[in-house]
Amino acid sequence: MIFDAVDFDAHEAVHFATDEATGLTAIIALHSTHLGPAAGGTRWWSYADDAAALTDALRLSRGMSYKNAMAGLPMGGGKGVIIKDAPKTEAMLEAFGDVIESLGGRYVTAEDVGMSDQDMTVIARRTRHVSGLPVAAGAVGGNPGPSTAEGIFVGMRAAVAHKLGRHDFKGVHVAIQGLGSVGGALAEKLAVAGAVLTLADVDAARAAAYAARLGATAVDVTAITRVAADVFSPNALGAVLDAPTIAGLQVAVVAGAANNQLATPNDGAALAARGILYAPDYVINAGGIISVVAEYLGHGDPAEVARAIAAIEGRLADIFVTADRIAMPTDMVADSMARKLIGRG
Ligand code: NAD
């Protein structure tokens, strides 16, 4: 029964939508609108079965509630999932736009894995409750990847400072899993800052190209979680931190953009037990949503957005200090702060 599902967390609503003409099969989960409209991107992905898609939507939407609250945004949390069992066509995206429009502004979408800013433009033909649209260079909004990467960069700096007492990245060894929109931009920033990089992507040619350009080392995807380094940075898909992976990590810090990095609620404690400092995913990866929400709300000052992203560094530093003080894993400290903010504390 869905209401008893492990990941069902008193979600306000879960919408299931199909459109036979275009092959659209989608789920929109609204976890909380306590702080404002439920904001969170749409993922286009292939799932083992419908239950796996639902689990993803439930977990991701709760994560968005926590993320938006912790980023100080006037937004709740939601998430869209389009099941990749038919080609992604403009007609399908328009049909998805109709579904969003039918929710009357309770859900605001943007891009997530498998979706581009061009896709958002198509959705925007049918609804204005969409963000992450292409914007002119220098304007607020657009592809959130670079803003997310900036947040990961400053958040990782907080973690490295707390754990290693290092205040810059010179000679700090970071193993990056996934070189997409976020991981690629992050790798560039870290290279400029003097970090030593080991990179992996399922697209091995992509990893090799980044490695050649940035003077880094590329390794196979199966090896990246066991690289002896200072930081492991997951920037591919979620649930990467499970018991076997945690047992094999040879780093002091985990700090990356992937959503829902912890495979189970116990994995944050497992990391802490190994003495590995974990930067809670939804706190460190809020840069993109900060940019997207500013665009949606029409707040066009890039300096203001940059300040909000920069604040991720101090927010994480506070979580790390609190976690040490009360001897609680960092993910649990963040969850308890976030739940208070959304009125569920
Ligand atoms: P993306 O699709 O642009 O990039 C993902 C990259 O990971 C691709 O290059 C892909 O080939 C690679 N990859 C996939 N599986 C892999 C594996 N097993 N090992 C190594 N590489 C693998 O996605 P993105 O926008 O960069 O997002 C990355 C992660 O960060 C996702 O989990 C996403 O939900 C999360 N995130 C993204 C944003 C954003 O602004 N884009 C914001 C918050 C969170």
Side-chain angles (χ1 to χ4, degrees), residues 43 67 112-114 144-145 148 177-183 200-203 206 221 235-238 257-259 285 288:
R43 174 167 295 194
K67 183 189 304 198
D112 188 47
V113 175
T148 302
Q177 178 187 50
L179 298 161
S181 173
V182 179
D201 196 292
V202 276
D203 181 345
R206 190 173 173 79
V221 281
N235 299 287
L237 290 174
N259 283 310
N285 73 12

Side-chain angles (χ1 to χ4, degrees), residues 89-140:
T89 60
E90 292 203 357
M92 178 193 279
L93 294 174
E94 286 176 357
F96 187 64
D98 289 337
V99 178
I100 294 172
E101 183 61 19
S102 76
L103 301 178
R106 274 168 60 77
Y107 172 61
V108 181
T109 200
E111 52 269 68
D112 188 47
V113 175
M115 299 286 272
S116 68
D117 52 359
Q118 293 305 327
D119 294 333
M120 296 305 116
T121 312
V122 178
I123 291 171
R125 292 178 194 155
R126 300 300 182 92
T127 181
R128 64 188 172 82
H129 305 300
V130 50
S131 197
L133 299 160
V135 293
V140 164

Side-chain angles (χ1 to χ4, degrees), residues 2-345:
I2 176 172
F3 297 110
D4 302 322
V6 179
D7 291 297
F8 191 79
D9 174 43
H11 284 65
E12 289 180 16
V14 182
H15 298 271
F16 297 88
T18 56
D19 182 64
E20 264 187 57
T22 63
L24 173 73
T25 309
I27 302 171
I28 295 177
L30 306 183
H31 177 257
S32 167
T33 57
H34 182 77
L35 293 172
T42 293
R43 174 167 295 194
W44 186 61
W45 193 248
S46 184
Y47 292 93
D49 53 32
D50 295 348
L54 175 61
T55 298
D56 214 22
L58 291 173
R59 293 191 75 190
L60 290 165
S61 59
R62 179 180 50 202
M64 289 310 303
S65 285
Y66 290 4
K67 183 189 304 198
N68 294 339
M70 290 297 276
L73 296 169
M75 307 300 273
K79 199 82 183 183
V81 162
I82 300 181
I83 297 173
K84 187 178 173 178
D85 54 14
K88 186 174 69 179
T89 60
E90 292 203 357
M92 178 193 279
L93 294 174
E94 286 176 357
F96 187 64
D98 289 337
V99 178
I100 294 172
E101 183 61 19
S102 76
L103 301 178
R106 274 168 60 77
Y107 172 61
V108 181
T109 200
E111 52 269 68
D112 188 47
V113 175
M115 299 286 272
S116 68
D117 52 359
Q118 293 305 327
D119 294 333
M120 296 305 116
T121 312
V122 178
I123 291 171
R125 292 178 194 155
R126 300 300 182 92
T127 181
R128 64 188 172 82
H129 305 300
V130 50
S131 197
L133 299 160
V135 293
V140 164
N143 171 17
S147 297
T148 302
E150 175 61 22
I152 304 300
F153 182 82
V154 300
M156 190 184 289
R157 194 163 58 196
V160 164
H162 187 84
K163 186 72 186 175
L164 305 173
R166 300 285 309 272
H167 295 280
D168 62 40
F169 284 111
K170 281 194 193 72
V172 173
H173 185 177
V174 184
I176 303 183
Q177 178 187 50
L179 298 161
S181 173
V182 179
L186 175 68
E188 312 253 3
K189 282 174 181 295
L190 287 168
V192 170
V196 174
L197 300 177
T198 301
L199 311 173
D201 196 292
V202 276
D203 181 345
R206 190 173 173 79
Y210 266 97
R213 193 153 47 79
L214 302 179
T217 306
V219 297
D220 189 79
V221 281
T222 55
I224 192 71
T225 58
R226 293 190 309 277
V227 170
D230 295 306
V231 182
F232 169 59
S233 184
N235 299 287
L237 290 174
V240 59
L241 300 170
D242 57 10
T245 302
I246 291 169
L249 285 173
Q250 299 187 60
V251 292
V253 167
V254 173
N259 283 310
N260 297 332
Q261 291 169 32
L262 302 175
T264 73
N266 302 327
D267 291 320
L271 284 165
R274 282 212 53 212
I276 297 171
L277 181 65
Y278 170 64
D281 45 15
Y282 59 83
V283 181
I284 195 170
N285 73 12
I289 194 79
I290 289 170
S291 161
V292 155
V293 165
E295 176 192 339
Y296 179 71
L297 297 176
H299 298 169
D301 180 2
E304 188 53 46
V305 171
R307 267 194 296 279
I309 294 173
I312 290 172
E313 186 165 5
R315 191 168 298 125
L316 277 168
D318 287 348
I319 290 170
F320 298 150
V321 168
T322 303
D324 284 352
R325 183 168 47 79
I326 63 176
M328 189 186 263
T330 52
D331 62 306
M332 290 174 68
V333 170
D335 283 3
S336 109
M337 287 173 160
R339 290 189 78 80
K340 280 197 189 86
L341 290 170
I342 64 169
R344 298 188 187 190

